[in-house]
Amino acid sequence: MNWKWLLSAAEPRPRYVLLVAIGVVVMMSLTYPIWSPGGRVMAAFAAVAATIISHISAKLIMRP
């Protein structure tokens, strides 16, 4: 597996940032019933998971 490709931001960066931001907002809104009763710790875990999933999704969408 190419770790450098996976761990770096995609080009062009503005499109990558937009895709990740939209992905995080959608993921956090969809999982609100799960992390809301869990408090701050569960919200932080959901935010990290949403960011990772959105990053991978954006990389796969922007793959040449």
Side-chain angles (χ1 to χ4, degrees), residues 9-22 58 62:
E11 295 293 338
R13 289 184 195 260
R15 182 176 172 207
Y16 165 77
V17 170
L18 181 65
L19 284 172
V20 171
I22 290 171
M62 296 181 66

Side-chain angles (χ1 to χ4, degrees), residues 20 23-25 27-28 31 35 39-55:
V20 171
V24 169
V25 168
M27 292 286 293
M28 290 300 287
T31 60
W35 61 261
R40 289 184 285 177
V41 175
M42 192 63 177
F45 176 75
V48 170
T51 305
I52 291 170
I53 292 170
S54 297
H55 165 73

